[in-house]
Amino acid sequence: MGESGLSAGKPTIDDVAALSGVARATVSRVLNGGPNVREEVRQRVLKAVDKLQYKVNMQARFLAGGKTQVLGLIYASDLDSEPNSFYHSGLELGALRACALVGFQLLMHTVNQHSLSKTSKILELVDARRCDGLILTPPFSDDCDLLQELEARNCPVVCISPGLAAQKMASGVGIDDEVAGYEMARYMLQLGHKDFGFIKGLEGHLSAEERFSGFLRALAEAGIAESDVIVARGNFTFRSGVETTAAMLSHAKRPSALICANDDMAVGALFSAHKIGLQIPQDLSIVGFDDTPVSEIIWPPLTTVNQPLKAIGYRAVEMIVERIKAGKTASGPLPLRFDVVPHKVVMRESASPPQG
Amino acid sequence: MGESGLSAGKPTIDDVAALSGVARATVSRVLNGGPNVREEVRQRVLKAVDKLQYKVNMQARFLAGGKTQVLGLIYASDLDSEPNSFYHSGLELGALRACALVGFQLLMHTVNQHSLSKTSKILELVDARRCDGLILTPPFSDDCDLLQELEARNCPVVCISPGLAAQKMASGVGIDDEVAGYEMARYMLQLGHKDFGFIKGLEGHLSAEERFSGFLRALAEAGIAESDVIVARGNFTFRSGVETTAAMLSHAKRPSALICANDDMAVGALFSAHKIGLQIPQDLSIVGFDDTPVSEIIWPPLTTVNQPLKAIGYRAVEMIVERIKAGKTASGPLPLRFDVVPHKVVMRESASPPQG
DNA sequence: CCGACAATTGGTAGCGCTTTCAATATTGCC
DNA sequence: GGCAATATTGAAAGCGCTACCAATTGTCGG
């Protein structure tokens, strides 16, 4: 009953060629916008494509072409570490948006960062030709061994918020955490604070360390030594914020400003402070980093620094596609670069001048 | 300098065949765990694979085999609707975990649910042979037109929380929202509440509607008519929660219990109530749905119902892989099914007996 | 020791598309 | 009008792997 006696199943390029009376190669040309095709022929082919409802089989196209048009986005999954779902979602959304624009697909992949086979799990993706490039999020964006292996395979990579060492091995995108820490400290200093508390995050988490050193730099400029600030270490969770803050506030010398390495801990701090009857921000200013959704929902709304996650994810895709294309034209490898996207201190109500 | 004079570039199956002195087909057999290979030969091939660091090119394997071992996870992205990042992250994490186990990859894809081409955008994924099956999240899991197209293409699909109509067209996973609403209402009733307020979500959002009807059913059983409850409609956001609540509380007859269709709005309600000096839960009990991270961080911690997102995502992958395999063995299509995973009312501190 | 039958292994035709490379058709210019 | 240069089109060689089928080898029972 069909229009023509073509083979069953999905139409292939040959079906289109047959129907439009040209060679397979010609169909391929019009499909790929190649030059040198008479307009009349192009139309004929297009009509056949339309009539047959033909769709190229990417699987085949890429086998022939040696590419996949797929980008891998790698992120860590330990325990059920929900804490970062906000972070990853943001990056992913941005990446997805950019992908849609440039015609790539996004393959998600979680890897247990403590697994011994973490590196091979990731390499497998590129060795098996499942993707053309990788976007690495922390902590993988700092894994120099991994980066080296990827480099050896000539696989385009873009790191999200890589550390200094990693920045020398691959391109990256992120905010300038040191400056963010610096600015936040400046803001608090300017409010009049002199007694600081700082809750650090997990050891080895580079962004957080950077924020801390930026913070220290601002303090140093204001003549405050590191030894004058009460620092504690949490693990980025709400609970750890609650606990470290409770301990810190029972201290003889209570700070007037408490800076937390991320919002979840800041919210925990808020919770702890409320519990012992402190008024925020009158009795204690508390600020965080990240601008998670909670931070503006909590009472009082949290002063924090916003990191444009979607923009970062978006930019990462742009950068990697650029590298992939460059690799194709073989016009020499693109120089490494690190794009810093602007962060923003968002002032809400959890910080005010001391004893305000 | 290499071990043997093999071709440059990535080793192919032929290189392995050559090195181990067997035919390509035999290598393929050992690679795929095929039967009928002498142990001695198998070892020889394996050794060659190892020596060459050979990795199968999935691209090629799947072209030949007609599959991709890739699952597409579709979700909506309107505006910058962050609200659901928690929801999607949970599903994704669960799906990813299951994928790792069954050897599939997860391709993420966002589609603007209001776009005219939304259906074709999704179909393109399967038409272009980029994935073997699709996991649809709301609202796509309710799009019967889409489901029909997919059905026509014989593409395995699993819907997350589909509505009744969709359940008749494809398999699905989710909690029983109606029962969840019913249970929550029962709980509040049992606490002694008689005056209810309900903030609904966006029109047409099935899960939310179901929750509402379950709620109504419990009330009816207790002799309370729908007309006795003050209902308002929000759009699932924090902001809409604060606004609708503000309006509702200025009402002459103020409810003693306020049920919100999701946590974000409940948190907004909490915010609004606090603002006008109400004590929660003494003056007003407020509950939500979803058990988002915020709900246990807020003060007072929110009573809500937990939906095991990761388990749902995980199950969705299991189901779809099952269908894909069934399709392969062509032992007749698998019967449709809807798996309900258990939800849980989590009682925290935002609800108590009235005037408690 | 021989034919029947099962266990192995090799040969090879695709999967559906891109990409030279050669063949043919046009066009421009003296 | 004739020849080189240019625009079009077709033929065929893969991309790397799977799967079907034929060929080869080995194993038994009589």
Side-chain angles (χ1 to χ4, degrees):
Chain A
M1 220 60 308
E3 204 66 49
S4 47
L6 292 168
S7 53
K10 299 239 177 202
T12 73
I13 195 175
D14 287 321
D15 292 325
V16 177
L19 180 57
S20 49
V22 300
R24 184 200 298 173
T26 301
V27 177
S28 179
R29 269 181 214 109
V30 347
L31 255 29
N32 294 289
N36 299 342
V37 178
R38 238 186 325 150
E39 186 55 25
E40 184 247 320
V41 174
R42 168 189 307 288
Q43 290 307 328
R44 192 141 42 90
V45 170
L46 254 23
K47 201 179 314 174
V49 165
D50 193 56
K51 185 182 230 164
L52 256 29
Q53 282 286 302
Y54 168 76
K55 302 285 191 312
V56 280
N57 178 327
M58 295 301 182
Q59 196 93 11
R61 165 176 292 185
F62 298 144
L63 201 220
K67 21 198 116 183
T68 65
Q69 296 282 96
V70 169
L71 261 27
L73 174 53
I74 312 291
Y75 65 82
S77 78
D78 285 301
L79 26 146
D80 289 11
S81 68
E82 217 59 85
N84 291 330
S85 87
F86 163 72
Y87 180 79
H88 291 301
S89 280
L91 290 177
E92 184 179 320
L93 214 54
L96 241 16
R97 206 155 296 175
C99 275
L101 242 58
V102 298
F104 270 67
Q105 302 291 143
L106 232 215
L107 199 59
M108 300 301 303
H109 207 78
T110 60
V111 178
N112 183 322
Q113 58 182 304
H114 296 124
S115 156
L116 288 168
S117 59
K118 58 178 178 175
T119 299
S120 63
K121 274 283 181 8
I122 295 175
L123 293 175
E124 197 177 316
L125 235 43
V126 352
D127 282 338
R129 290 289 158 82
R130 300 219 69 151
C131 55
D132 292 341
L134 249 32
I135 297 176
L136 264 23
T137 65
F140 298 114
S141 53
D142 271 312
D143 186 333
C144 292
D145 292 339
L146 172 60
L147 253 23
Q148 199 149 36
E149 291 279 16
L150 256 14
E151 166 80 46
R153 285 166 172 70
N154 201 19
C155 170
V157 174
V158 168
C159 298
I160 306 293
S161 300
L164 262 29
Q167 279 179 37
K168 297 216 174 73
M169 307 184 61
S171 284
V173 212
I175 64 170
D176 189 327
D177 285 293
E178 203 270 351
V179 171
Y182 177 82
E183 288 178 3
M184 181 55 102
R186 288 283 305 173
Y187 173 64
M188 301 304 278
L189 247 10
Q190 171 190 322
L191 245 30
H193 291 281
K194 296 200 162 43
D195 302 314
F196 291 92
F198 195 106
I199 300 184
K200 302 172 78 167
L202 241 27
E203 193 134 22
H205 189 297
L206 299 179
S207 295
E209 299 293 348
E210 292 275 295
R211 290 167 186 181
F212 184 61
S213 60
F215 163 77
L216 251 28
R217 178 162 63 93
L219 260 55
E221 284 181 13
I224 302 176
E226 175 167 3
S227 56
D228 291 334
V229 2
I230 309 179
V231 355
R233 189 181 283 286
N235 66 355
F236 292 125
T237 64
F238 170 75
R239 172 168 297 281
S240 76
V242 174
E243 289 165 359
T244 50
T245 303
M248 188 180 289
L249 294 184
S250 64
H251 219 77
K253 178 185 160 222
R254 171 186 301 167
S256 69
L258 178 55
I259 297 181
C260 306
N262 78 341
D263 283 352
D264 285 354
M265 295 196 296
V267 173
L270 225 43
F271 186 93
S272 235
H274 270 147
K275 204 145 201 168
I276 63 173
L278 256 34
Q279 295 277 33
I280 311 295
Q282 295 81 351
D283 300 331
L284 174 66
S285 286
I286 296 180
V287 301
F289 277 91
D290 285 348
D291 194 20
T292 59
V294 213
S295 63
E296 58 175 338
I297 273 180
I298 207 83
W299 187 258
L302 200 64
T303 286
T304 182
V305 1
N306 173 281
Q307 172 173 204
L309 293 170
K310 281 194 294 248
I312 293 177
Y314 192 99
R315 187 75 194 105
V317 168
E318 288 183 329
M319 288 176 72
I320 203 164
V321 168
E322 202 172 284
R323 301 191 89 71
I324 290 174
K325 287 193 174 140
K328 212 171 50 184
T329 61
S331 57
L334 240 40
L336 252 39
R337 56 185 294 175
F338 178 76
D339 275 24
V340 6
V341 300
H343 60 262
K344 197 167 66 209
V345 174
V346 354
M347 290 165 279
R348 286 199 271 249
E349 304 166 38
S350 67
S352 70
Q355 317 161 25
Chain B
M1 217 67 302
E3 204 66 50
S4 46
L6 292 168
S7 53
K10 299 241 178 200
T12 74
I13 195 175
D14 286 320
D15 293 325
V16 176
L19 181 58
S20 50
V22 300
R24 182 200 300 174
T26 301
V27 177
S28 178
R29 267 181 214 108
V30 348
L31 254 28
N32 294 289
N36 299 341
V37 179
R38 239 184 327 149
E39 186 55 25
E40 183 247 322
V41 174
R42 168 189 306 287
Q43 290 307 328
R44 192 141 42 90
V45 170
L46 254 23
K47 201 179 313 173
V49 165
D50 193 57
K51 183 183 231 164
L52 257 30
Q53 282 287 303
Y54 168 77
K55 301 285 190 312
V56 279
N57 178 327
M58 295 300 182
Q59 195 91 14
R61 165 177 292 183
F62 299 144
L63 202 220
K67 19 198 117 184
T68 66
Q69 296 282 98
V70 169
L71 261 27
L73 174 52
I74 312 290
Y75 64 83
S77 78
D78 284 300
L79 28 146
D80 288 12
S81 67
E82 216 60 85
N84 291 330
S85 89
F86 164 72
Y87 180 80
H88 291 302
S89 280
L91 290 178
E92 184 179 320
L93 213 54
L96 242 16
R97 206 156 295 175
C99 275
L101 241 60
V102 297
F104 270 68
Q105 302 292 143
L106 233 215
L107 199 60
M108 301 300 304
H109 207 78
T110 61
V111 178
N112 183 323
Q113 58 182 305
H114 295 125
S115 156
L116 288 170
S117 60
K118 57 179 179 176
T119 299
S120 64
K121 275 282 183 1
I122 294 175
L123 292 175
E124 196 179 316
L125 234 45
V126 352
D127 282 338
R129 288 290 157 80
R130 301 220 67 151
C131 56
D132 291 341
L134 249 32
I135 298 177
L136 263 24
T137 65
F140 299 115
S141 52
D142 270 313
D143 185 333
C144 292
D145 292 339
L146 173 60
L147 254 22
Q148 199 149 35
E149 291 279 15
L150 257 12
E151 166 79 46
R153 286 165 172 71
N154 202 19
C155 171
V157 175
V158 168
C159 297
I160 306 293
S161 300
L164 261 28
Q167 279 179 39
K168 296 215 175 73
M169 308 185 59
S171 284
V173 214
I175 64 171
D176 189 327
D177 284 293
E178 203 270 351
V179 171
Y182 177 81
E183 288 178 4
M184 181 56 99
R186 289 284 304 171
Y187 173 64
M188 301 303 278
L189 247 10
Q190 172 189 323
L191 244 30
H193 290 280
K194 297 200 162 42
D195 303 313
F196 291 91
F198 195 106
I199 300 183
K200 302 172 78 167
L202 241 25
E203 192 132 23
H205 189 298
L206 300 179
S207 295
E209 298 294 346
E210 291 276 295
R211 289 166 187 181
F212 184 62
S213 60
F215 163 78
L216 251 29
R217 178 162 63 94
L219 259 53
E221 284 181 13
I224 302 176
E226 176 168 1
S227 56
D228 292 335
V229 3
I230 309 178
V231 355
R233 189 181 285 284
N235 65 356
F236 292 125
T237 64
F238 170 75
R239 171 168 298 280
S240 76
V242 340
E243 288 165 2
T244 50
T245 303
M248 188 180 289
L249 295 184
S250 63
H251 219 77
K253 178 184 159 224
R254 172 187 301 169
S256 69
L258 178 56
I259 297 182
C260 306
N262 78 341
D263 283 353
D264 284 355
M265 294 196 295
V267 173
L270 225 42
F271 186 95
S272 235
H274 270 145
K275 204 145 200 168
I276 63 173
L278 258 33
Q279 294 278 32
I280 311 295
Q282 294 83 349
D283 300 331
L284 175 67
S285 286
I286 295 180
V287 301
F289 277 91
D290 285 349
D291 194 20
T292 59
V294 213
S295 63
E296 56 176 339
I297 273 180
I298 207 84
W299 188 259
L302 200 63
T303 286
T304 182
V305 1
N306 173 282
Q307 171 172 204
L309 294 171
K310 280 192 295 243
I312 293 176
Y314 193 99
R315 186 76 192 105
V317 168
E318 287 184 328
M319 287 175 73
I320 203 164
V321 168
E322 201 173 284
R323 300 190 90 71
I324 289 175
K325 286 195 176 139
K328 213 170 50 183
T329 61
S331 57
L334 241 40
L336 252 39
R337 57 186 294 175
F338 178 76
D339 276 22
V340 5
V341 301
H343 61 260
K344 199 166 66 208
V345 175
V346 355
M347 290 163 281
R348 286 200 271 250
E349 303 166 38
S350 68
S352 71
Q355 317 162 25

